[in-house]
Amino acid sequence: MSANLVLVLNGPNLNLLGSREPEIYGHDTLDTIAVMLEDQATALGLEIDLRQSNHEGHLVDWLHEAGSRRCRAVILNAGALTHTSIALHDAIKAIPVPVIEVHLSNPQAREPFRHHSTISAVARGSICGFGAQSYALALDAAARLRQ
Ligand code: DQA
């Protein structure tokens, strides 16, 4: 049981945050987001483990790990896989852990191919459009979830 642990999983291209299209994604790097979330988690009595991969299978494996460890929640920014991945949809459905979908940008306000999410229907909820603060809002939501 890892009831106080929140996995923060990040998909393709999010390792480039800070330099990647900053007018859309902002200037924060994934490292600065991790530091912000660690401080916030401590204040909430939680722990976070932030990971990033450019490979869909890693994200699937980490979702399974969150399930087998009975984590409190997963915060998932699947990047572009949000719009294509049935494997992530199925993995979220397969685990007994709430998944909170996050995006820095607001995909609904962008190109039509970003309007569909394979994740939203199986996520506990979605938070998007607040830049790095989307992650902070998701961690607050994770802290307030009824177990
Ligand atoms: C994103 C939005 C996706 O459409 C995009 O492919 C990303 C980042 C976001 O955080 O705004 O890589 O998930």
Side-chain angles (χ1 to χ4, degrees), residues 12-14 17 20-26 77 79-80 82-83 102-116 128-131:
N13 301 308
L14 292 165
L17 276 186
R20 173 193 182 200
E21 300 182 272
E23 65 288 356
I24 295 174
Y25 298 115
N77 185 350
T82 303
H83 315 298
V102 303
H103 300 285
L104 296 130
S105 66
N106 176 0
Q108 296 302 321
R110 300 180 61 195
E111 304 95 319
F113 63 82
R114 295 183 204 277
H115 293 181
H116 178 68
C128 62
F130 298 99

Side-chain angles (χ1 to χ4, degrees), residues 56-74:
E56 185 177 30
H58 289 160
L59 297 167
V60 171
D61 288 344
W62 292 337
L63 285 164
H64 294 178
E65 179 188 333
S68 58
R69 293 175 71 182
R70 295 286 193 279
C71 289
R72 169 178 285 262
V74 173

Side-chain angles (χ1 to χ4, degrees), residues 26-63:
H27 293 278
D28 288 303
T29 65
L30 215 44
D31 284 345
T32 60
I33 291 173
V35 169
M36 168 188 80
L37 292 179
E38 270 155 22
D39 288 349
Q40 184 184 348
T42 304
L44 291 167
L46 299 175
E47 274 176 57
I48 61 139
D49 182 350
L50 185 146
R51 304 177 190 177
Q52 188 276 331
S53 176
N54 293 322
H55 305 281
E56 185 177 30
H58 289 160
L59 297 167
V60 171
D61 288 344
W62 292 337
L63 285 164

